[in-house]
Amino acid sequence: MKSSSWLRLLIFGVCLYILWRVRSVVLLVLTAVTFVIMLNRAVRRLQKRISSRSVAVLLVTSAVLLTAGALVVIIVPPVFEQLRDLVGLSSQLIDRVQGWLIYLSDVIPGFALEDLQNLGILLNQLQAMNWEMIFGRFFTWFSNTLTIALNLLLVTVLTVMMLSNPGAYRGLFIRLFPSSRRQQVSKVLDNCEEAIADWSIGILFNMTTIAFLSMIGLWILGVPLALTNGLLAGLLAFIPNLGPFLSALPPAAIALLESPWKAIAVIVLYIGIQQVESNLLTPLVMKKRVVPLPAVALMAQIMFAIFFGFLGLLLALPLTLILQQWLKEFWVRGVLDRH
């Protein structure tokens, strides 16, 4: 191998190492880029009525921030109140479950008794824990940390700055590549923008529909805070696979305190909504969109969550769509199809 090739390989390795060291900042920048792509279509449409792009950007970002703030005000306080109530009633809930286990031990076959006994031991250990102290420490840590607020502020500022003049930042990024590759890079960026924009329209439609169906279903079942839990289900629908499971926990736990059948009904409701989303909404809305295969999406969520934490899990799908476009152009077409 020539010395120039070794030098390029060394430079590439150093760049990867630097990117890995600053991966948190890179992920925040990618978050801002994703928001820019999602909002740019709305800004363009508004520009047709308002000639000034700055005014259009201000109106779109203000609407998004006001909507996000309203959702936080509506969802966060009731959810924390629910968690506090659940912590206070944890002993009652565990006692009720233990009573059901005693009843089931007289009904189920003998080979399953060992599993029930192990579950009973686990419940005794949970009952011995001081849940109020644990939750209190967690809430204090969460409320005192500034990391989330600073990250949100950084993403918001970057989004507004890039959304004001996306062409300049796009041109600057393209210039980082050799002139022989710039046309390909421009094509990939166009494909990424189209894929993310189309996906965002589909996911927003799914989130709205899931929130509406959850609110109506919980209201019919008589579960408290149906509006809050419905909005929470809609927001968590942004995270496939894991989101629906997490959104079902609060209403199911609250319903369990009232009666077992109501908790089962809540679980059945969420499973039914998930089936509607998977088999009806997603094929209908995403039929013309570029979406990764379910197994690929799940693996991407696991990998991004391991390497980048919760934010990586949140952005797993849009980042997978971006990576898919780059691999398709430079690896599949550029390497594999030529051999």
Side-chain angles (χ1 to χ4, degrees):
M1 185 179 293
K2 297 180 179 180
S3 58
S4 60
S5 300
W6 283 109
L7 180 61
R8 292 177 183 176
L9 185 61
L10 178 62
I11 294 174
F12 181 72
V14 171
C15 292
L16 286 180
Y17 176 76
I18 294 174
L19 289 175
W20 176 254
R21 297 294 296 179
V22 297
R23 61 187 181 276
S24 299
V25 178
V26 173
L27 193 61
L28 291 177
V29 173
L30 290 175
T31 304
V33 171
T34 303
F35 284 134
V36 169
I37 296 174
M38 294 172 65
L39 299 178
N40 195 34
R41 280 192 175 183
V43 172
R44 288 176 180 174
R45 291 182 179 180
L46 192 58
Q47 266 190 288
K48 295 178 180 179
R49 300 183 178 181
I50 303 175
S51 58
S52 175
R53 183 175 178 86
S54 300
V55 176
V57 170
L58 178 61
L59 291 176
V60 171
T61 53
S62 298
V64 172
L65 291 176
L66 288 175
T67 303
L71 290 175
V72 169
V73 171
I74 294 174
I75 293 178
V76 173
V79 167
F80 273 104
E81 185 178 353
Q82 282 184 350
L83 291 176
R84 288 185 181 275
D85 292 341
L86 288 176
V87 169
L89 297 173
S90 59
S91 298
Q92 177 183 346
L93 180 60
I94 292 175
D95 289 338
R96 184 168 297 183
V97 174
Q98 286 178 331
W100 295 336
L101 291 179
I102 294 174
Y103 170 75
L104 290 175
S105 63
D106 298 330
V107 178
I108 65 172
F111 63 84
L113 287 178
E114 184 177 353
D115 294 332
L116 284 181
Q117 291 173 355
N118 293 333
L119 181 58
I121 295 173
L122 176 61
L123 290 175
N124 290 330
Q125 294 174 350
L126 291 175
Q127 194 170 25
M129 297 176 66
N130 191 341
W131 287 101
E132 294 184 0
M133 180 185 68
I134 294 174
F135 181 76
R137 289 181 178 179
F138 169 77
F139 182 77
T140 302
W141 172 85
F142 185 83
S143 59
N144 291 336
T145 184
L146 295 177
T147 304
I148 297 177
L150 292 176
N151 288 341
L152 289 175
L153 179 61
L154 176 60
V155 170
T156 303
V157 172
L158 289 175
T159 301
V160 174
M161 293 174 64
M162 289 188 287
L163 193 60
S164 300
N165 190 8
Y169 294 97
R170 175 191 173 102
L172 180 62
F173 179 77
I174 293 176
R175 290 179 184 177
L176 297 175
F177 295 84
S179 57
S180 60
R181 296 289 187 180
R182 289 175 184 173
Q183 186 175 0
Q184 279 183 289
V185 172
S186 179
K187 179 182 177 182
V188 171
L189 293 179
D190 290 337
N191 294 336
C192 289
E193 181 177 358
E194 183 178 359
I196 295 297
D198 289 343
W199 170 81
S200 64
I201 294 174
I203 196 66
L204 286 175
F205 176 80
N206 284 0
M207 290 168 64
T208 304
T209 305
I210 289 173
F212 178 76
L213 293 177
S214 300
M215 284 187 285
I216 296 299
L218 293 175
W219 176 75
I220 293 174
L221 293 175
V223 178
L225 298 174
L227 174 62
T228 301
N229 287 314
L231 292 176
L232 183 63
L235 289 177
L236 290 177
F238 188 84
I239 309 175
N241 303 312
L242 184 61
F245 170 76
L246 294 177
S247 65
L249 292 180
I254 294 175
L256 185 61
L257 293 175
E258 296 185 10
S259 60
W261 73 264
K262 185 172 288 190
I264 296 174
V266 170
I267 295 174
V268 171
L269 170 67
Y270 275 71
I271 291 176
I273 294 175
Q274 178 64 18
Q275 293 300 314
V276 170
E277 189 269 339
S278 301
N279 299 317
L280 181 61
L281 295 180
T282 298
L284 179 64
V285 178
M286 300 287 191
K287 61 181 179 180
K288 295 182 179 180
R289 273 72 172 174
V290 180
V291 292
L293 296 173
V296 175
L298 179 60
M299 292 302 300
Q301 286 179 290
I302 295 173
M303 292 180 61
F304 279 109
I306 291 174
F307 287 110
F308 303 109
F310 178 76
L311 187 57
L313 174 64
L314 194 65
L315 297 174
L317 278 188
L319 293 180
T320 302
L321 290 174
I322 294 174
L323 183 62
Q324 179 178 332
Q325 298 301 320
W326 283 91
L327 291 176
K328 181 179 179 180
E329 180 65 28
F330 285 96
W331 177 247
V332 178
R333 294 179 180 174
V335 178
L336 298 181
D337 289 348
R338 293 183 178 179
H339 292 82

